[in-house]
Amino acid sequence: MSSTESHDEAAEKAVLGSVLLDASCLPEVRALIAAAAFYSPPHAEVFAAFCAVADRADPIDIVTVCAELRARKRLNAVGGLQYLGELTDWTPSIANVCAHARIVRDLALVRTAARAIEAAHTAINDPIYSLAEIREILINTLKEITS
């Protein structure tokens, strides 16, 4: 992935910090995004841990999320306990968590579209693909972008 791909680190951190500060917002956030929407792999890991903790009906807080990440052997990979604690510093307002989640979602869609278009462009310029194969790639590209 290119380092210039569309993402908003502040929005990602604000979503995660909001959930840590008020876990009751997680269902609304989950309705908008999944872990795969995060550009940052550590952020995706943290969000997946939130979801796993919530799915067990355990409370989401720094202790339960750290325990989940430790069990997955991912705590150090996401930056450790200190980084999780710092996520709340990136939260301007819990009330805006859905707006921040929509930013994350929309930029994930932009990245998906860019990858799909790049794949289609590569196929079009590769002589091994027939017109029918290129048509199929373009149809799948449109489906991926619009789904």
Side-chain angles (χ1 to χ4, degrees):
M1 266 187 203
S2 166
S3 61
T4 60
E5 285 192 32
S6 299
H7 66 286
D8 187 326
E9 186 173 353
E12 290 189 9
K13 288 179 177 180
V15 169
L16 299 175
S18 292
V19 175
L20 277 174
L21 290 169
D22 183 1
S24 69
C25 70
L26 184 60
E28 285 181 276
V29 173
R30 284 178 96 172
L32 294 168
I33 58 174
F38 289 88
Y39 176 81
S40 164
H43 294 165
E45 293 271 1
V46 171
F47 191 78
F50 289 167
C51 295
V53 170
D55 289 346
R56 289 193 307 268
D58 287 339
I60 296 173
D61 60 28
I62 196 107
V63 175
T64 58
V65 172
C66 278
E68 177 66 25
L69 289 166
R70 193 175 293 113
R72 294 173 177 226
K73 298 181 179 5
R74 302 303 300 155
L75 182 59
N76 289 337
V78 303
L81 177 62
Q82 180 178 347
Y83 183 72
L84 290 175
E86 291 170 0
L87 287 172
T88 59
D89 296 339
W90 283 89
T91 307
S93 172
I94 296 167
N96 297 332
V97 68
C98 288
H100 300 147
R102 283 190 294 273
I103 292 168
V104 173
R105 178 200 62 199
D106 292 350
L107 290 172
L109 291 172
V110 168
R111 291 190 306 274
T112 297
R115 283 190 298 269
I117 291 167
E118 184 177 328
H121 182 263
T122 299
I124 289 168
N125 290 309
D126 191 333
I128 68 165
Y129 290 102
S130 70
L131 182 58
E133 290 170 319
I134 291 171
R135 183 178 304 129
E136 188 65 28
I137 289 169
L138 289 172
I139 289 168
N140 290 336
T141 298
L142 288 172
K143 286 179 186 176
E144 188 173 348
I145 293 169
T146 59
S147 64

